[in-house]
Amino acid sequence: MISIVLADDHHIVRHGLKVLLEAETDFNVVGEASDGIEAVNLTESLQPNVLVTDLMMGGMSGIEVTYQVVKRSPKTAVVILSMYGNEAYVHEALRAGARAYVLKDSTSEELVRAVREAMLGHRYLSPPLSEKAIEAYMEKSAEATSLDPYETLTIREREVLHLVSQGYTCAEIAEKLFISPRTVEVHRANMMRKLDLRNQTQLLRYALQRGIIPPENKCEMSEKNIPEETTG
């Protein structure tokens, strides 16, 4: 049996995915998560063969979930489900360690194939991404000569980055992560310094470029009353 954990912040979507996947006689959905943080913790606890996660969820994006799952549950293959087919998101997903990237308008057969390919250690991308995206990713990786500043962030700093970029306040982040607001501020300052970001506008631009938040969130985030904090 191939054990699977599902992560999506919409219950009806998770239910549909579970029904679809368990129609395969050798697939077994062993757990479900409603946000990114829960997905990481559940995957680490259950150690499934495959994690199928939405790209955009509350608390932590599917890309950050992938980064953490690769470290905490290295035997779990990650399949990302996304409505975004642009190369930036695919590159970040592959960089994070995802084995498959499946567009949400794909057929059920494609998702099943992606799970099976990921389970075997193969890479799978939905058409028309496939070869073009893989080649572009490989070329980009080969040209990289310096360490990505994102890689220098601690797990907690990444969590704070994702939550701040979604518009959460320090108090709200503290409550979600079970730490003090002051500790959140320290992590935020360290994260901003490492990424060489000076204010909230730069942080949002960075989050968009990294695929942490979707393009349609840009206006929504900019309208929120978030202080333009600086580092230093």
Side-chain angles (χ1 to χ4, degrees):
M1 297 292 290
I2 298 176
S3 57
I4 302 170
V5 164
L6 295 176
D8 193 287
D9 51 4
H10 295 92
H11 175 77
I12 193 169
V13 173
R14 292 199 311 275
H15 177 72
L17 289 171
K18 182 177 181 179
V19 171
L20 185 159
L21 292 171
E22 289 194 333
E24 300 295 309
T25 57
D26 57 337
F27 283 10
N28 181 29
V29 176
V30 296
E32 299 179 40
S34 59
D35 63 46
I37 295 173
E38 184 184 5
V40 173
N41 293 335
L42 191 60
T43 301
E44 183 177 19
S45 173
L46 298 177
Q47 299 284 310
N49 299 123
V50 178
L51 167 65
V52 177
T53 179
D54 188 17
L55 178 68
M56 296 299 173
M57 293 183 293
M60 187 187 299
S61 76
I63 290 175
E64 179 59 23
V65 167
T66 303
Y67 269 111
Q68 296 202 29
V69 165
V70 167
K71 293 180 179 179
R72 300 189 191 186
S73 182
K75 293 183 180 179
T76 299
V78 180
V79 175
I80 288 185
L81 277 175
S82 174
M83 61 186 294
Y84 303 101
N86 55 309
E87 291 184 358
Y89 288 107
V90 181
H91 289 162
E92 290 303 321
L94 295 177
R95 183 198 294 271
R99 280 291 170 187
Y101 190 101
V102 182
L103 297 177
K104 286 189 173 181
D105 59 0
S106 300
T107 64
S108 57
E109 289 79 9
E110 285 180 55
L111 177 58
V112 169
R113 180 183 173 189
V115 170
R116 294 191 183 283
E117 291 292 328
M119 172 66 183
L120 294 173
H122 303 158
R123 181 172 289 136
Y124 179 84
L125 283 83
S126 292
L129 300 175
S130 303
E131 296 304 321
K132 180 180 179 182
I134 292 176
E135 290 173 6
Y137 168 70
M138 293 303 182
E139 290 176 5
K140 185 176 181 180
S141 298
E143 293 171 358
T145 57
S146 60
L147 179 66
D148 182 353
Y150 186 83
E151 302 292 342
T152 69
L153 299 182
T154 65
I155 290 176
R156 189 62 87 194
E157 288 165 357
R158 291 182 184 183
E159 290 174 340
V160 170
L161 167 61
H162 283 249
L163 290 168
V164 168
S165 67
Q166 293 175 51
Y168 289 99
T169 65
C170 282
E172 291 170 333
I173 294 173
E175 184 177 354
K176 281 182 171 291
L177 300 182
F178 303 103
I179 56 180
S180 71
R182 175 56 185 163
T183 300
V184 173
E185 292 173 1
V186 171
H187 287 311
R188 186 185 191 281
N190 289 337
M191 172 267 293
M192 297 285 281
R193 173 179 52 79
K194 290 179 180 181
L195 298 179
D196 194 27
L197 303 175
R198 302 300 177 185
N199 52 52
Q200 187 70 14
T201 299
Q202 290 183 357
L203 185 149
L204 290 176
R205 186 179 300 115
Y206 179 85
L208 285 164
Q209 292 172 344
R210 294 290 310 209
I212 294 171
I213 56 176
E216 60 266 25
N217 279 23
K218 183 176 182 180
C219 292
E220 179 184 337
M221 293 295 103
S222 64
E223 290 173 359
K224 290 194 174 185
N225 185 24
I226 305 171
E228 295 277 334
E229 298 181 41
T230 58
T231 60

